[in-house]
């Protein structure tokens, strides 16, 4: 029987995707007409396949779906979150979160009891939340959301078994899954609003690591988890030592302290020039919008965001590189490089390639060919950057490619409206 305002009628044919030749996936305005995948195509969705030339086509060959979000995971698995619970077959149950097979295009429901999945920022508070769907080394799938009966869940799906990892009295703003199944999560207790950073062991045991929330959670190459702190008397970045299951007493990054316990990386000298380093110094490094790990094991972040985003090295030491992009809007890690796009010294948009090994920088799109970039993605197969943005020369929205071997940039006006999301397969 139909139920609720979000009811979706069963499809006349099974929902099937065609990802043949897909370099990436885009979430688009459903009013944008697209070429069909095949001449016999009957699929209708707001998802598009982006091919290697930057062209868009309908992602479905049969069925009808409306997606809210999607995720191409680091292992190239594709997950789609629908706007509301959606039947994937004429006689099938409704599904909110599905994994789509890369080869056969068949969507498999991850959890038919979900009424919501918390995707961008979860319960709020995290500046750079981890992916909404995560994995352990054994292939277990972890996700955070709400059930049809009103419960908040953080679940592990492994071997056909779903396991609840939290009670419904927790409000989670971010979580991070480690390879062995250990989960770190930050948030608060719902009825008391008491903040915390907690650890769930692979067997399910719970431990509070700190009675305050973290502004970000990231695993660095040494196997430890680094997190932002911003409470009275404690500003900066700390780390959780995985081997000892303890928080390292000194700050990893922070100002000099009066308690006699100096930080491992003192930010005082960097923040003496507060105006030039506002993105970092306004939160003492505790608020980031992106993080990248290079092949050499260095970690770079975009500290701050919007009009103050700047590239900063957080591991193995604290360092502030000098780049032509003074206000970073979007960025993408590429092996031992970081692609940066935003506003430069001339208050015009530029896109550059920063080499983290020697500090050199190459301009990819200069101010004379100005493009305001919205998404950056790296394709390892052909060493290209795929992007979308606004080309200023003719005030046109474009999809583009940058060949990192030759530096050649091509842009194509393939759609009249901005893509809501754009990700590429590796």
């Amino acid at each position: 029987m139909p139920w609720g305002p979000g009811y979706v009628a069963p499809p006349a044919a099974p929902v099937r995707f065609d990802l043949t030749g897909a370099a990436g996936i885009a979430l688009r305005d459903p009013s944008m007409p697209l070429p069909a995948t095949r001449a016999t195509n009957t699929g209708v969705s707001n998802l598009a396949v982006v091919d290697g030339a930057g062209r868009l086509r309908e992602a479905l060959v049969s069925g009808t779906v409306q997606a809210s979000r999607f995720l191409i995971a680091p292992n190239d698995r594709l997950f789609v979150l629908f706007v509301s619970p959606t039947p994937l077959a004429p006689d099938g149950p409704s599904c909110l979160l599905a994994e789509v097979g890369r080869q056969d295009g068949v969507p498999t429901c991850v959890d038919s009891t979900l009424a919501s999945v918390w995707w961008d920022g979860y319960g709020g508070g995290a500046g750079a939340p981890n992916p909404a769907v995560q994995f352990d080394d054994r292939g277990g799938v972890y996700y955070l959301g709400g059930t049809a009966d009103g419960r908040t869940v953080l679940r592990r799906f492994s071997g056909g078994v779903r396991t609840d990892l939290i009670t419904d009295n927790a409000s989670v703003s971010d979580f991070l899954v480690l390879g062995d199944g250990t989960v770190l999560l930050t948030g608060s207790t719902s009825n008391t609003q008491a903040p915390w950073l907690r650890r769930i062991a692979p067997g399910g045991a719970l431990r509070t690591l700190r009675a305050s929330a973290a502004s970000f959670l990231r695993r660095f190459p040494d196997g430890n988890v680094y997190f932002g702190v911003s409470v009275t008397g404690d500003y900066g970045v700390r780390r959780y030592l995985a081997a000892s299951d303890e928080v390292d007493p000194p700050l990893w990054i922070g100002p000099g302290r009066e308690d006699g316990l100096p930080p491992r990386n003192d930010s005082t000298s960097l923040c003496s020039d507060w105006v030039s380093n506002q993105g970092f110094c306004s939160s003492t490094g505790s608020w980031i919008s992106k993080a990248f790990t290079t092949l050499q094991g260095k970690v770079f972040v975009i500290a701050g965001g919007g009009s103050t985003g700047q590239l900063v090295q957080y591991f193995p030491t604290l360092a502030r590189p000098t780049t032509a992009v003074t206000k970073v809007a979007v960025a993408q890690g590429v092996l031992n490089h970081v692609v940066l796009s935003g506003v430069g010294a001339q208050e015009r948009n530029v896109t550059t390639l920063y080499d983290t090994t020697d500090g050199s920088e190459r301009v990819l799109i200069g101010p004379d060919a100005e493009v305001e970039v919205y998404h950056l993605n790296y394709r390892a197969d052909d060493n290209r950057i795929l992007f979308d943005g606004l080309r200023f020369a003719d005030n046109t929205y474009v999809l583009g490619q940058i060949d990192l071997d030759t530096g050649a940039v091509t842009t194509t006006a393939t759609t009249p409206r901005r893509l809501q999301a754009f990700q590429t397969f590796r």
Side-chain angles (χ1 to χ4, degrees), residues 138-162:
R138 293 168 292 184
V141 182
Y142 297 71
Y143 49 93
L144 179 70
T147 61
D149 59 4
R151 292 180 296 121
T152 298
V153 295
L154 173 61
R155 281 183 173 162
R156 177 179 63 234
F157 179 63
S158 180
V161 177
R162 297 182 183 90

Side-chain angles (χ1 to χ4, degrees), residues 220 222 226 235-239 248 250-257 261-271 280 284-285 299 312-320:
F220 283 8
D222 61 355
Y226 293 68
Y235 300 94
V237 178
R238 290 189 171 275
R239 64 175 176 173
D248 193 17
L251 282 162
W252 176 253
I253 296 173
R257 294 168 61 91
L261 195 63
R264 299 191 182 277
N265 293 273
D266 196 325
S267 61
T268 304
S269 59
L270 179 62
C271 291
F280 172 85
T284 322
V299 176
V312 183
Q313 179 181 300
Y314 273 25
F315 184 88
T317 57
L318 176 66
R320 169 71 170 100

Side-chain angles (χ1 to χ4, degrees), residues 71-155:
L71 170 71
I72 297 178
N75 53 13
D76 266 357
R77 294 167 69 177
L78 172 61
F79 292 82
V80 177
L81 175 67
F82 302 112
V83 170
S84 58
T86 300
L88 302 179
D91 57 351
S94 293
C95 181
L96 190 69
L97 177 66
E99 180 176 1
V100 178
R102 285 285 307 279
Q103 302 303 318
D104 59 14
V106 176
T108 301
C109 192
V110 174
D111 191 333
S112 61
T113 70
L114 293 177
S116 63
V117 173
W118 296 342
W119 204 269
D120 297 323
Y122 316 124
N130 289 289
V133 179
Q134 299 179 44
F135 312 89
D136 61 31
D137 288 345
R138 293 168 292 184
V141 182
Y142 297 71
Y143 49 93
L144 179 70
T147 61
D149 59 4
R151 292 180 296 121
T152 298
V153 295
L154 173 61
R155 281 183 173 162

Side-chain angles (χ1 to χ4, degrees), residues 325 340-342 348-353 362-373 376 385 387 400-402 407 409-411:
V325 185
L340 304 168
S341 191
R348 297 172 69 183
N349 287 282
V350 294
T351 300
T352 68
L353 182 69
R362 175 160 57 110
V363 175
L364 301 174
I365 305 175
D368 292 338
E370 190 170 5
V371 176
E372 182 182 58
V373 174
L376 285 169
I385 293 293
F387 67 92
Q401 300 184 49
I402 304 172
V409 180
T410 57
T411 56

Side-chain angles (χ1 to χ4, degrees), residues 315-333:
F315 184 88
T317 57
L318 176 66
R320 169 71 170 100
T322 300
T323 74
V325 185
T326 56
K327 300 173 183 177
V328 180
V330 291
Q332 173 66 52

